Amino acid sequence: MALQYEGFFAANYNNYNMRQLLFVFSVLFTTVFYAQNTGSVAGKLTDIDFNNEPLAFANILIKGTTTGTTSDFDGLYAIDNLDPGSYTLVFSFVGYETQEITVEVVAGKVTEVNVPMGASAASLDEVIITTTTRKESEAALLLEQKKATGIKTSIGAQELSRKGVGDVATAVTKVSGISQQEGSGSVFVRGLGDRYNITTLNGLPLPSNNPANKNIDLDIFSTNIVEFIAIDKTYNAANYGDFAGANINIISKDYTGSGFLQLGLSSGANTEAIGTEDFYLHEGPNYSGFYTTDYPDYPLNNYNFTTSWDREKGPMPVNSGISLVGGETLRLGDETKLSFFGVGNYSNGFTYKEGLSRGGVNVSGVPLSNFDFENYEYKTNTTLMGNIGLKHKQQSIKYNVLYLNSTSQKQMEYDGVINVFDDAPEGGGIIQRSVFDRTELFVNQLLGDHAIGEQFDVNWGVSYNMLYNNVPNRRQTTLLPVNPNDPDGPKSMQLVSSASANHRFYQDLNEDELAANIATTFKFSKNEDDEYAGKVTLGYNGRMKKVDFEATQFNFRILLRDSNNNLITQPVVEPYNVDAYFTQENLNAGLFRIETFRGNVNTPNALEPQFYKGDQNIHAGFVNFEYTFSPKFSVIAGLRGEQITQTIGWDTSISSSPEPEDNKFDTFEILPAFSLKYAINEKHNLKFAASKTYTLPQFKERAPFLFQEVNQDYIGNPDLYASKDYNADIIWEFFPESDEIFSLGAFGKYILDPINQVTIASASNDISWVNSGDYAMAIGAELEVRKNLFKSEVETDDSTLATVFSAGLNAAYMYTDQELDDEKVAEENSIINTVFTNKNDRLSGASDFLMNADISFNKDFSEDRNFMTTLAFNYFSDRIYALGVQGRGNMVDKGYGTLDFITKYQVNEHITLGASFKNLLNPSVERYQDTQDVDVMTYKKGRDFKLSLSYQF
């Protein structure tokens, strides 16, 4: 059957059947996926004297060399690992006219040459030559999106580079309907936050680095390890069912080209950070990010802490980065390749925030606390990744190892009213908090893909991940005015009543997870084009996770009376010389006492840490049935069964339930999924998807552990249970050209028993988590446009030079609603209660409107010299941060837009220069309480600029 393919091949393929096309795509997406500095030639030979049947065993030789190959039974051939340049291919077969065709090979691309042969040579206009880019390119990913029956979106390394994206969290916000939570690496997908998403690496799950989150912070992944990021906003039965927002699958880079080594250097600054007169951090952590410590021996008997309480002047806040990337391929025979790829990356960055912070705003609009704050922060990220891959014919096996070390060092200072009814009611209270947070992640993956005969495919993967999160020696000090009516006067500890107001805190989180995927696919029902119309996939997924969290906090209780009940006069303390107060001498003098939540030195088990620990085991089997009823209509129907077991035990300052089996969550879920695609024509698709999924509570949310921030405390709820989610999507896609798209879609989600973060009914205004009502819903529309405004190509002796001026836009509009039911909360929870201000409200984290837009200009001056520049804009509208209770309004993050400018210039084949200017508009980041209309947080992030240099050896 004759088919005409436009766009990606930019040519007319009459008399070209589906099987041949799939072979071409296979060649393109395997050879091109791996090649970076070399190119390839591939295609098909046909016999024009026998109805264009495949011509097998013909010879293809590069003229003047001994490099060549022969065509297979289907007339297909490929020559890989060719250096860029012009080549003359010689096609010959006994009894047929020999043909010589000159082609241009481009680095990282496949040139396709399809040649009709016969007793007399075919004319040159019958020969079809096309070139396709690597899978990380925008065009290749759009082609994959076009061909897929399901609804999927991907963003590749090419687009990330063009938009100057440095981390995965920022990368996914370039996709319609996705925004990032301010101050974290968590993302919201269609208004659904962290709990509704899944993060995987090469299809295998990743642990979380934060006990508060289900997913790992995406901003700790630098994009130089990324080939592309696949974002599935619709559910497939092959994925884990704890899903309602998106499955974010990071595909790590592979390599099978000729050897290369690339060195990258960068430097920059944040305008707010570099604008400070002095940049302050604290003693202890080094600037490399490799630091850990434990509390000293006998910490309750004596004052043995050696690190200072006080801030210290840090280095000049100039950001820097260095990376080293390399790869090599070894050929072990004609059909076997062994490939190596490695990345080493280190970067650091300084930020400074200054603004106001208010907490506990009551119904009259009066805040319980009211501060001016400064936040100095220094971050590091070290990434080491390597893989080795072996490919023989249609069999491949690969080992990936990834090590991440991500740190954040913060010096936070608050000045103002600590408690309007108690501590520093007129102002002048000073709180200083020094925090170092370190995450180490080890990922080990073994992956395999195998073709068994013509009809069976098997792919599998197994991973073992180890995550260690450490908060060593967090320090907080609190000083109050000696005279509350003189806020600017001298400070002391005299009126500090809370034991935890001055403390040192040590936290450790360990997660170990073993995961495995295996799936086998059977292809059946050949059609008239000799292609299999149907596929059945059977598979298993399993993940077994152990979580162990413990923390010890040493509270420095300020004493007001001695053992004889005499009043103690506390000395005046300088705010930036607290070390002079916390000494062995003052401990001996009885000015303060060191204790944990269990007690002081006289309590036998005082040093036993608070903890929670648990196991989460998921075992699932699935079946996917895929059938192409016609070239226009295809369907995927899947069914998944998951057995989920979650157990948790704890011993905290709130309560004790140390046996995990006493708190067991055990359920079996049946999860159907359905997708269909109708190809209106070669350029238009109509797709639909529907599914059922679920959402689990997290360990921290179920453990009654008190997490204390400066202005807010959090406590877990052991009575939480899972939500059930129903999802539906419909989308129309139009692909005018291979690198262009226009799509319009609509989606709907209905959630039973949604989990929300709420302020509980108590004097302390603590935050917890509850199943807040019977239902929640979200409906919306998404638009995506990528269009070349101008495009031209010039053929030279060496290459094809392109000039492209393009624009992109994606936007999402959402309406969300949920029921909030006080009675339901009271009936279902033993220790948590709340009183919602509204009976219905929007979903937390959901913006009504999201938009990304960019314009780009790319120009090739020669094969090794080009220029690229992009102007990118991102906007989100107001979104709820926390639901209002007891007559108070919702806390709302005000929407704002960011504008980034990125430019790169490849000077020659070795040197590339780059510059980026981020957050050019520098809007104010604001959070307010809506009913009372009171700002609760404001600051500016500052503008970031960076210069970069890379050299390829």
Side-chain angles (χ1 to χ4, degrees), residues 41 59-69 79-83 86-91 101 103 105:
V41 178
N59 296 312
I60 303 97
L61 186 71
I62 297 178
K63 189 174 183 179
T65 74
T66 58
T67 302
T69 187
I79 305 176
D80 299 329
N81 292 327
L82 297 176
D83 291 330
S86 182
Y87 295 84
T88 298
L89 300 183
V90 180
F91 299 86
I101 300 172
V103 298
V105 174

mmCIF file of all heavy atoms in Angstrom, residues 41 59-69 79-83 86-91 101 103 105:
data_model
loop_
_atom_site.group_PDB
_atom_site.id
_atom_site.type_symbol
_atom_site.label_atom_id
_atom_site.label_comp_id
_atom_site.label_asym_id
_atom_site.label_seq_id
_atom_site.Cartn_x
_atom_site.Cartn_y
_atom_site.Cartn_z
ATOM 1 N N VAL A 41 24.652 6.358 7.556
ATOM 2 C CA VAL A 41 23.890 6.268 6.310
ATOM 3 C C VAL A 41 23.082 4.989 6.376
ATOM 4 O O VAL A 41 23.597 3.929 6.770
ATOM 5 C CB VAL A 41 24.812 6.248 5.078
ATOM 6 C CG1 VAL A 41 23.987 6.116 3.804
ATOM 7 C CG2 VAL A 41 25.655 7.515 5.018
ATOM 8 N N ASN A 59 25.805 -5.132 -2.509
ATOM 9 C CA ASN A 59 26.977 -4.546 -1.857
ATOM 10 C C ASN A 59 26.859 -3.028 -1.806
ATOM 11 O O ASN A 59 26.491 -2.399 -2.809
ATOM 12 C CB ASN A 59 28.254 -4.939 -2.608
ATOM 13 C CG ASN A 59 28.485 -6.434 -2.563
ATOM 14 O OD1 ASN A 59 28.411 -7.052 -1.511
ATOM 15 N ND2 ASN A 59 28.766 -7.023 -3.728
ATOM 16 N N ILE A 60 27.195 -2.472 -0.662
ATOM 17 C CA ILE A 60 27.252 -1.014 -0.499
ATOM 18 C C ILE A 60 28.636 -0.690 0.045
ATOM 19 O O ILE A 60 29.024 -1.179 1.111
ATOM 20 C CB ILE A 60 26.167 -0.499 0.472
ATOM 21 C CG1 ILE A 60 24.779 -0.923 0.003
ATOM 22 C CG2 ILE A 60 26.246 1.028 0.591
ATOM 23 C CD1 ILE A 60 24.276 -2.160 0.672
ATOM 24 N N LEU A 61 29.383 0.144 -0.688
ATOM 25 C CA LEU A 61 30.769 0.438 -0.337
ATOM 26 C C LEU A 61 31.002 1.931 -0.406
ATOM 27 O O LEU A 61 30.477 2.611 -1.300
ATOM 28 C CB LEU A 61 31.717 -0.287 -1.308
ATOM 29 C CG LEU A 61 33.222 -0.209 -1.006
ATOM 30 C CD1 LEU A 61 33.558 -1.034 0.226
ATOM 31 C CD2 LEU A 61 34.013 -0.711 -2.213
ATOM 32 N N ILE A 62 31.778 2.434 0.557
ATOM 33 C CA ILE A 62 32.208 3.832 0.479
ATOM 34 C C ILE A 62 33.401 3.892 -0.468
ATOM 35 O O ILE A 62 34.431 3.249 -0.219
ATOM 36 C CB ILE A 62 32.579 4.380 1.868
ATOM 37 C CG1 ILE A 62 31.339 4.376 2.769
ATOM 38 C CG2 ILE A 62 33.146 5.791 1.765
ATOM 39 C CD1 ILE A 62 31.608 4.842 4.180
ATOM 40 N N LYS A 63 33.264 4.632 -1.541
ATOM 41 C CA LYS A 63 34.262 4.675 -2.592
ATOM 42 C C LYS A 63 35.622 5.120 -2.046
ATOM 43 O O LYS A 63 35.722 6.060 -1.254
ATOM 44 C CB LYS A 63 33.819 5.628 -3.697
ATOM 45 C CG LYS A 63 34.696 5.590 -4.943
ATOM 46 C CD LYS A 63 34.100 6.454 -6.049
ATOM 47 C CE LYS A 63 34.946 6.358 -7.312
ATOM 48 N NZ LYS A 63 34.351 7.181 -8.396
ATOM 49 N N GLY A 64 36.659 4.380 -2.462
ATOM 50 C CA GLY A 64 38.010 4.706 -2.048
ATOM 51 C C GLY A 64 38.389 4.133 -0.703
ATOM 52 O O GLY A 64 39.469 4.430 -0.184
ATOM 53 N N THR A 65 37.485 3.328 -0.088
ATOM 54 C CA THR A 65 37.765 2.710 1.210
ATOM 55 C C THR A 65 37.347 1.246 1.163
ATOM 56 O O THR A 65 36.805 0.768 0.178
ATOM 57 C CB THR A 65 36.988 3.412 2.345
ATOM 58 O OG1 THR A 65 35.608 3.036 2.262
ATOM 59 C CG2 THR A 65 37.118 4.917 2.265
ATOM 60 N N THR A 66 37.606 0.563 2.264
ATOM 61 C CA THR A 66 37.137 -0.818 2.403
ATOM 62 C C THR A 66 35.921 -0.893 3.321
ATOM 63 O O THR A 66 35.480 -1.986 3.694
ATOM 64 C CB THR A 66 38.264 -1.700 2.986
ATOM 65 O OG1 THR A 66 38.659 -1.162 4.256
ATOM 66 C CG2 THR A 66 39.455 -1.755 2.043
ATOM 67 N N THR A 67 35.372 0.255 3.684
ATOM 68 C CA THR A 67 34.215 0.307 4.555
ATOM 69 C C THR A 67 32.942 0.073 3.759
ATOM 70 O O THR A 67 32.716 0.721 2.729
ATOM 71 C CB THR A 67 34.125 1.663 5.272
ATOM 72 O OG1 THR A 67 35.314 1.871 6.022
ATOM 73 C CG2 THR A 67 32.920 1.713 6.201
ATOM 74 N N GLY A 68 32.124 -0.848 4.222
ATOM 75 C CA GLY A 68 30.878 -1.111 3.516
ATOM 76 C C GLY A 68 30.049 -2.141 4.240
ATOM 77 O O GLY A 68 30.338 -2.538 5.370
ATOM 78 N N THR A 69 28.991 -2.593 3.575
ATOM 79 C CA THR A 69 28.086 -3.569 4.153
ATOM 80 C C THR A 69 27.306 -4.226 3.032
ATOM 81 O O THR A 69 27.541 -3.943 1.847
ATOM 82 C CB THR A 69 27.132 -2.888 5.166
ATOM 83 O OG1 THR A 69 26.388 -3.887 5.833
ATOM 84 C CG2 THR A 69 26.183 -1.924 4.478
ATOM 85 N N ILE A 79 25.281 1.926 7.576
ATOM 86 C CA ILE A 79 26.707 2.116 7.842
ATOM 87 C C ILE A 79 26.816 3.183 8.923
ATOM 88 O O ILE A 79 26.399 4.325 8.703
ATOM 89 C CB ILE A 79 27.486 2.544 6.578
ATOM 90 C CG1 ILE A 79 27.274 1.543 5.443
ATOM 91 C CG2 ILE A 79 28.972 2.692 6.894
ATOM 92 C CD1 ILE A 79 27.926 1.958 4.135
ATOM 93 N N ASP A 80 27.352 2.799 10.076
ATOM 94 C CA ASP A 80 27.401 3.685 11.246
ATOM 95 C C ASP A 80 28.795 4.278 11.435
ATOM 96 O O ASP A 80 29.762 3.874 10.796
ATOM 97 C CB ASP A 80 27.017 2.920 12.512
ATOM 98 C CG ASP A 80 25.603 2.374 12.449
ATOM 99 O OD1 ASP A 80 24.753 3.004 11.799
ATOM 100 O OD2 ASP A 80 25.372 1.313 13.049
ATOM 101 N N ASN A 81 28.858 5.231 12.386
ATOM 102 C CA ASN A 81 30.116 5.804 12.877
ATOM 103 C C ASN A 81 30.979 6.402 11.770
ATOM 104 O O ASN A 81 32.175 6.167 11.685
ATOM 105 C CB ASN A 81 30.921 4.755 13.657
ATOM 106 C CG ASN A 81 30.252 4.378 14.957
ATOM 107 O OD1 ASN A 81 29.606 5.207 15.581
ATOM 108 N ND2 ASN A 81 30.393 3.124 15.352
ATOM 109 N N LEU A 82 30.341 7.201 10.928
ATOM 110 C CA LEU A 82 31.069 7.907 9.877
ATOM 111 C C LEU A 82 31.352 9.326 10.344
ATOM 112 O O LEU A 82 30.465 10.000 10.877
ATOM 113 C CB LEU A 82 30.252 7.941 8.583
ATOM 114 C CG LEU A 82 29.947 6.583 7.938
ATOM 115 C CD1 LEU A 82 29.039 6.762 6.725
ATOM 116 C CD2 LEU A 82 31.230 5.866 7.536
ATOM 117 N N ASP A 83 32.589 9.764 10.152
ATOM 118 C CA ASP A 83 32.907 11.145 10.467
ATOM 119 C C ASP A 83 32.144 12.070 9.535
ATOM 120 O O ASP A 83 31.862 11.724 8.380
ATOM 121 C CB ASP A 83 34.411 11.399 10.321
ATOM 122 C CG ASP A 83 35.212 10.672 11.392
ATOM 123 O OD1 ASP A 83 34.663 10.484 12.500
ATOM 124 O OD2 ASP A 83 36.361 10.287 11.107
ATOM 125 N N SER A 86 31.575 14.542 3.150
ATOM 126 C CA SER A 86 30.956 14.078 1.906
ATOM 127 C C SER A 86 31.521 12.714 1.530
ATOM 128 O O SER A 86 32.735 12.492 1.587
ATOM 129 C CB SER A 86 31.221 15.097 0.786
ATOM 130 O OG SER A 86 30.608 14.688 -0.404
ATOM 131 N N TYR A 87 30.633 11.781 1.159
ATOM 132 C CA TYR A 87 31.031 10.428 0.796
ATOM 133 C C TYR A 87 30.338 10.028 -0.511
ATOM 134 O O TYR A 87 29.212 10.447 -0.789
ATOM 135 C CB TYR A 87 30.649 9.408 1.875
ATOM 136 C CG TYR A 87 31.358 9.603 3.192
ATOM 137 C CD1 TYR A 87 30.881 10.507 4.133
ATOM 138 C CD2 TYR A 87 32.490 8.871 3.499
ATOM 139 C CE1 TYR A 87 31.529 10.676 5.343
ATOM 140 C CE2 TYR A 87 33.141 9.028 4.725
ATOM 141 C CZ TYR A 87 32.652 9.936 5.635
ATOM 142 O OH TYR A 87 33.295 10.095 6.831
ATOM 143 N N THR A 88 31.027 9.202 -1.285
ATOM 144 C CA THR A 88 30.410 8.605 -2.473
ATOM 145 C C THR A 88 30.143 7.138 -2.174
ATOM 146 O O THR A 88 31.061 6.374 -1.863
ATOM 147 C CB THR A 88 31.317 8.735 -3.700
ATOM 148 O OG1 THR A 88 31.519 10.129 -3.981
ATOM 149 C CG2 THR A 88 30.682 8.073 -4.917
ATOM 150 N N LEU A 89 28.874 6.763 -2.228
ATOM 151 C CA LEU A 89 28.471 5.387 -1.975
ATOM 152 C C LEU A 89 28.357 4.644 -3.306
ATOM 153 O O LEU A 89 27.772 5.158 -4.277
ATOM 154 C CB LEU A 89 27.132 5.338 -1.248
ATOM 155 C CG LEU A 89 27.054 6.030 0.119
ATOM 156 C CD1 LEU A 89 25.665 5.828 0.730
ATOM 157 C CD2 LEU A 89 28.119 5.502 1.056
ATOM 158 N N VAL A 90 28.884 3.435 -3.330
ATOM 159 C CA VAL A 90 28.829 2.590 -4.530
ATOM 160 C C VAL A 90 27.899 1.418 -4.237
ATOM 161 O O VAL A 90 28.143 0.620 -3.322
ATOM 162 C CB VAL A 90 30.233 2.075 -4.909
ATOM 163 C CG1 VAL A 90 30.146 1.196 -6.156
ATOM 164 C CG2 VAL A 90 31.189 3.245 -5.136
ATOM 165 N N PHE A 91 26.797 1.326 -5.001
ATOM 166 C CA PHE A 91 25.809 0.258 -4.857
ATOM 167 C C PHE A 91 25.966 -0.700 -6.032
ATOM 168 O O PHE A 91 25.879 -0.285 -7.202
ATOM 169 C CB PHE A 91 24.390 0.840 -4.855
ATOM 170 C CG PHE A 91 24.124 1.812 -3.729
ATOM 171 C CD1 PHE A 91 24.454 3.156 -3.863
ATOM 172 C CD2 PHE A 91 23.552 1.381 -2.548
ATOM 173 C CE1 PHE A 91 24.207 4.052 -2.830
ATOM 174 C CE2 PHE A 91 23.305 2.260 -1.511
ATOM 175 C CZ PHE A 91 23.636 3.599 -1.647
ATOM 176 N N ILE A 101 26.452 7.322 -5.665
ATOM 177 C CA ILE A 101 25.648 8.441 -5.163
ATOM 178 C C ILE A 101 26.443 9.163 -4.084
ATOM 179 O O ILE A 101 26.945 8.544 -3.141
ATOM 180 C CB ILE A 101 24.306 7.957 -4.587
ATOM 181 C CG1 ILE A 101 23.507 7.239 -5.672
ATOM 182 C CG2 ILE A 101 23.498 9.110 -4.004
ATOM 183 C CD1 ILE A 101 22.261 6.568 -5.142
ATOM 184 N N VAL A 103 26.678 11.580 -0.914
ATOM 185 C CA VAL A 103 25.812 11.993 0.194
ATOM 186 C C VAL A 103 26.627 12.815 1.188
ATOM 187 O O VAL A 103 27.854 12.733 1.229
ATOM 188 C CB VAL A 103 25.194 10.775 0.909
ATOM 189 C CG1 VAL A 103 24.324 9.972 -0.040
ATOM 190 C CG2 VAL A 103 26.266 9.902 1.538
ATOM 191 N N VAL A 105 27.210 13.429 5.167
ATOM 192 C CA VAL A 105 27.014 12.874 6.503
ATOM 193 C C VAL A 105 27.211 13.988 7.525
ATOM 194 O O VAL A 105 28.220 14.698 7.499
ATOM 195 C CB VAL A 105 27.989 11.710 6.769
ATOM 196 C CG1 VAL A 105 27.872 11.247 8.219
ATOM 197 C CG2 VAL A 105 27.701 10.563 5.815
#
